[in-house]
Amino acid sequence: MFGFTIAIFSFFLSHILPAYSSEGIPGDALLNKIRTGFVSQPSAVIDELNYRYIQTAKAKLAPTIREAAPDELVLPSGFIVGDQDAFAMAGCYVRLGSSLRSYNLVTRSGNLAATAFLSGGLMYALIARQADSVEERVDSLTSAAQCYYWSFCNETTPLRKEIIRGLAATYFERANTDADLLTGDTKTIFLDKIRSEINKFLNRAD
């Protein structure tokens, strides 16, 4: 779990300024699952099967995202028809949020990229509540705070932006407090990373 936090930080710290990231889970395996086995299957049939698969996968997304997210971003973000746990869903929302940034889609609720990052944060917050160890809880709290921070950075609606700012602040504080319960190098690494991210957040939030 700890390794994931470092990886996700490294990825998004390098992408927080660029408008778009094309990285994500490829959907190459999709056609192998939905083809009937006929090599010469008409492309129109394949397209229809893809469309049905995507719509079924989108059904698990939060309603606002489900309605507004471009179909072509769903599979590269990692959403599938089958069951996915909170950890997998959180990663999917993060990748979707990154891809949505260049689209700059605004719904009645607010910026869609911000909504995707917010949904990822909610998933990590759920994981933190169910964590079996302090390290896992700190890792999940930190990931939630980071998602809320990205959501804050992308949100354009003033009231919603202020609410999300409060969420990010709360979860960074919780992560920092719980990291003090750790020991040794693990404690040092977490505290250094969390406090570094808090400083960046405060610079943007002030």
Side-chain angles (χ1 to χ4, degrees):
M1 182 70 77
F2 170 66
F4 177 78
T5 294
I6 298 300
I8 198 173
F9 278 158
S10 298
F11 176 80
F12 276 97
L13 288 178
S14 65
H15 289 72
I16 196 69
L17 293 178
Y20 178 73
S21 169
S22 61
E23 294 189 25
I25 295 178
D28 297 342
L30 173 62
L31 292 181
N32 292 331
K33 295 180 180 179
I34 64 176
R35 279 180 176 163
T36 62
F38 294 101
V39 176
S40 60
Q41 188 174 150
S43 60
V45 175
I46 295 176
D47 288 343
E48 176 64 18
L49 292 173
N50 270 286
Y51 175 79
R52 291 178 183 176
Y53 189 96
I54 291 170
Q55 299 313 307
T56 304
K58 285 181 77 172
K60 66 171 62 178
L61 276 64
T64 299
I65 301 176
R66 181 193 316 147
E67 295 167 4
D71 286 354
E72 64 268 22
L73 300 184
V74 175
L75 299 185
S77 297
F79 294 103
I80 61 174
V81 169
D83 292 337
Q84 292 176 282
D85 60 21
F87 188 80
M89 289 289 287
C92 291
Y93 277 123
V94 169
R95 287 187 289 273
L96 180 60
S98 178
S99 297
L100 281 167
R101 293 179 65 226
S102 65
Y103 285 71
N104 196 29
L105 297 173
V106 179
T107 69
R108 286 181 293 179
S109 297
N111 183 279
L112 196 61
T115 300
F117 288 130
L118 181 63
S119 296
L122 293 173
M123 292 289 105
Y124 283 121
L126 174 63
I127 295 169
R129 288 196 296 270
Q130 300 173 346
D132 295 325
S133 68
V134 175
E135 183 175 348
E136 183 181 355
R137 184 170 71 250
V138 172
D139 187 51
S140 300
L141 289 172
T142 305
S143 295
Q146 188 70 68
C147 285
Y148 293 144
Y149 169 52
W150 294 327
S151 181
F152 167 80
C153 290
N154 285 275
E155 185 52 65
T156 54
T157 304
L159 178 58
R160 191 167 184 252
K161 190 177 184 75
E162 182 62 19
I163 293 172
I164 296 171
R165 186 196 68 79
L167 277 173
T170 297
Y171 273 81
F172 273 130
E173 181 179 356
R174 289 182 59 188
N176 188 64
T177 298
D178 283 12
D180 263 328
L181 301 175
L182 298 170
T183 59
D185 291 342
T186 301
K187 176 178 180 177
T188 301
I189 293 171
F190 265 113
L191 285 176
D192 287 348
K193 174 56 68 175
I194 292 168
R195 288 167 183 174
S196 173
E197 296 306 310
I198 288 175
N199 288 334
K200 294 174 184 177
F201 165 65
L202 292 177
N203 288 334
R204 293 290 296 265
D206 290 342

